[in-house]
């Protein structure tokens, strides 16, 4: 278990230091802003959605290592996936970081997202880990505060 913990730690450190998709994609049709005042995490997310598929995701902004790594891993995991895939992963991710009973069963299939499992032991960081997910969720739901940049 210690080895696994170390590996997870490496994923978070790596994605915090070298965040993936940390830019505004050339073409985007959804924009959303996520702010977590408890920690000061503040990001703008961009997505290009074609039909049911999220073809591109990018983000900019700043915050703690957990929030930045989470946005980075989420963006690289979800690029090219459908909205339904997003909903399934979002639910599993939330259950995992909240440490809900039964959440463990799906962790093996979560790939790098499993790196955030340890967040469940630090309840104050759950909002950091889920910030980008909540932001993307409202973007995909087409909430009124989401503006089209095209
Ligand atoms: Zn944070």
């Amino acid at each position: 278990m210690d080895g696994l913990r170390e590996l997870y730690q490496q994923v978070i450190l790596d994605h915090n230091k070298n965040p993936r998709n940390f830019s505004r994609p050339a073409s985007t049709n959804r924009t959303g802003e996520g702010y977590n005042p408890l920690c000061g995490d503040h990001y703008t997310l961009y997505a290009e959605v074609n039909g049911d598929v999220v073809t591109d995701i990018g983000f900019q902004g700043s915050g703690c290592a957990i929030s930045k790594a989470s946005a980075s891993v989420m963006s690289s995991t979800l690029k090219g996936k459908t909205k339904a895939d997003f909903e399934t992963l979002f639910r599993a991710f939330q259950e995992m970081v909240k440490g809900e009973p039964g959440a463990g069963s799906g962790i093996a299939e979560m790939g790098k997202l499993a790196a955030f499992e340890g967040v469940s032991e630090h309840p104050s960081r759950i909002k950091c880990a889920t910030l980008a997910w909540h932001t993307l969720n409202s973007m995909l739901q087409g909430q009124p505060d989401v503006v089209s940049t095209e």
Side-chain angles (χ1 to χ4, degrees):
M1 195 62 200
D2 281 353
L4 197 59
R5 286 265 144 135
E6 208 167 288
L7 178 72
Y8 285 175
Q9 192 71 19
Q10 291 296 327
V11 170
I12 292 172
L13 290 175
D14 172 40
H15 278 261
N16 175 52
K17 206 171 164 196
N18 303 300
R20 317 300 194 270
N21 309 301
F22 195 57
S23 62
R24 184 184 178 142
S27 178
T28 68
N29 54 17
R30 307 281 171 99
T31 305
E33 203 174 329
Y35 181 46
N36 172 19
L38 286 176
C39 182
D41 310 317
H42 195 179
Y43 297 96
T44 303
L45 269 75
Y46 308 98
E48 172 81 355
V49 182
N50 288 310
D52 272 336
V53 181
V54 183
T55 52
D56 209 352
I57 306 179
F59 73 104
Q60 290 178 312
S62 61
C64 67
I66 295 284
S67 65
K68 187 178 274 184
S70 176
S72 173
V73 175
M74 181 191 78
S75 66
S76 41
T77 303
L78 288 169
K79 217 186 253 196
K81 296 268 200 312
T82 64
K83 288 183 191 176
D85 292 333
F86 167 78
E87 280 163 25
T88 304
L89 280 170
F90 183 30
R91 205 172 307 127
F93 186 78
Q94 276 186 304
E95 285 173 1
M96 182 183 73
V97 297
K98 287 179 182 170
E100 287 177 9
S105 54
I107 289 177
E109 286 88 63
M110 293 194 74
K112 288 196 167 157
L113 295 172
F116 297 89
E117 190 194 357
V119 169
S120 63
E121 289 161 25
H122 307 276
S124 64
R125 313 313 295 274
I126 293 171
K127 286 195 165 135
C128 302
T130 57
L131 177 64
W133 291 82
H134 282 294
T135 308
L136 184 60
N137 187 44
S138 66
M139 288 158 69
L140 295 180
Q141 307 275 334
Q143 305 270 322
D145 57 327
V146 175
V147 284
S148 169
T149 55
E150 296 297 309

